[in-house]
Amino acid sequence: MNKGLMNLHSLVYEDRNNIANLSNTKLFANIVKGYADSNAFNYLLGMTNIGISDIRSLNFYNETGLADTINAHRSMEEVEDDSSMIALPKPKNVRGSLSQALKSRQSTRAFSNYRMNLDELSTLLTYSVGISNRYSKDAEGNRSYRRYHGSGGGIYPISVYCVVNAIEGLRNGIYLYRPYTHALKKITYTGNLEELYQNAPIDTQNANMSLLFSYELNRNYLKYGELGMLLAFVETGMIAQNIHLVANSVGYSSCDVAGFDKKYAEKTIGLDGVNSHIIYSIMVGKEQ
């Protein structure tokens, strides 16, 4: 065993000019000592700082029940031209126990040439990121439905796009999942997995689809300020775990992939890359 290699984390380098940082090990040492800058490190240092504007916004949202009012009317965002919408079938009940899904879940990077059907897709999306039958009411009695995953303040700033590669009844392309109407909105037929994952060690040829997580900054920044991004990442993790467990329960495998072309994804979908960002992805397919 190379003892030096296993203890690289304990080494500290003096390099105020930041010219010898040929690896993240050396760079990290200089970030800690203050010789190099890091956006991630700076965010962590100030992550839970709350300003006066944050307190005012938090109180306003909490006292008025604004999140419930917004959610009670978010279904109106899904009023679309019927020609761009594809209704999904009613989801099936998920079979098997939670413990079994947890035990058998594993990341898979190679898939078999197998086409997913719409019933399976419907079930996967519903129990991962769909609308549940639980609800609360706003001041006017309108129902605000909850989802199958948690969200800071019940705001739900994360949306999911499906990059379809091998699903029966769907042309390959990119679709936005609409949870309130349980439907897919066609975005484009030009997106493909090879372009999205040019340098990632993942089977793009045989995967059924990729799920892209879109974060709309304004949805929760208006309440939480800088803390909103942390809450969005936590929400993304909760959705991701749902996807892994439900995919396993319906007979598929999945793999988190952070190495995707963010600019390509946002340009192809039509996101501005300012308020709306693709922040994560998961590949889903039938294990070989």
Side-chain angles (χ1 to χ4, degrees), residues 92-284:
K92 306 291 186 181
N93 290 328
V94 177
R95 298 181 179 180
S97 66
L98 175 61
S99 60
Q100 181 59 40
L102 288 167
K103 290 176 181 178
S104 56
R105 189 217 67 78
Q106 64 177 1
S107 295
T108 302
R109 293 176 175 81
F111 307 101
S112 62
N113 186 14
Y114 184 90
R115 297 184 72 82
M116 178 184 288
N117 64 50
L118 285 179
D119 285 336
E120 294 166 331
L121 175 62
S122 171
T123 301
L124 175 58
L125 291 175
T126 296
Y127 296 116
S128 298
V129 69
I131 306 296
S132 74
N133 58 5
R134 294 176 294 105
Y135 63 87
S136 59
K137 293 184 179 181
D138 66 11
E140 298 179 354
N142 298 306
R143 292 183 178 183
S144 173
Y145 283 91
R146 300 294 182 251
R147 307 193 187 188
Y148 285 101
H149 62 86
S151 178
I155 296 176
Y156 305 106
I158 305 297
S159 299
V160 172
Y161 289 85
C162 304
V163 186
V164 172
N165 187 57
I167 297 179
E168 292 180 359
L170 290 179
R171 182 176 170 182
N172 287 1
I174 302 178
Y175 303 80
L176 171 63
Y177 176 58
R178 292 296 205 182
Y180 286 93
T181 52
H182 190 50
L184 297 176
K185 178 186 178 182
K186 176 184 71 68
I187 302 299
T188 179
Y189 292 135
T190 61
N192 67 80
L193 296 182
E194 290 186 11
E195 290 287 337
L196 185 62
Y197 299 105
Q198 291 186 34
N199 300 311
I202 194 78
D203 183 2
T204 58
Q205 295 291 325
N206 298 309
N208 294 113
M209 65 176 174
S210 169
L211 298 175
L212 301 179
F213 296 71
S214 171
Y215 170 38
E216 294 181 65
L217 188 66
N218 68 310
R219 287 200 185 273
N220 69 350
Y221 190 96
L222 300 183
K223 177 178 181 179
Y224 290 108
E226 297 295 304
L227 184 60
M229 186 165 68
L230 171 64
L231 297 177
F233 289 154
V234 171
E235 181 173 336
T236 296
M238 289 188 281
I239 297 173
Q241 181 71 335
N242 281 357
I243 291 170
H244 294 314
L245 296 179
V246 178
N248 182 275
S249 296
V250 297
Y252 289 83
S253 296
S254 54
C255 184
D256 300 281
V257 188
F260 58 89
D261 190 330
K262 181 177 184 289
K263 290 185 178 180
Y264 168 79
E266 292 168 355
K267 182 178 179 180
T268 305
I269 291 171
L271 303 181
D272 58 24
V274 178
N275 181 65
S276 301
H277 297 264
I278 299 298
I279 60 174
Y280 205 57
S281 78
I282 294 179
M283 196 80 83
V284 179

Side-chain angles (χ1 to χ4, degrees), residues 48-92:
T48 58
N49 289 346
I50 297 179
I52 294 177
S53 62
D54 298 324
I55 295 173
R56 289 173 177 169
S57 296
L58 286 166
N59 288 338
F60 178 73
Y61 267 77
N62 294 336
E63 291 174 3
T64 62
L66 184 56
D68 278 343
T69 300
I70 292 173
N71 283 329
H73 296 87
R74 277 188 71 170
S75 60
M76 299 301 295
E77 297 178 4
E78 300 187 8
V79 177
E80 302 277 0
D81 179 2
D82 289 343
S83 64
S84 67
M85 301 298 291
I86 301 171
L88 291 171
K90 185 178 179 180
K92 306 291 186 181

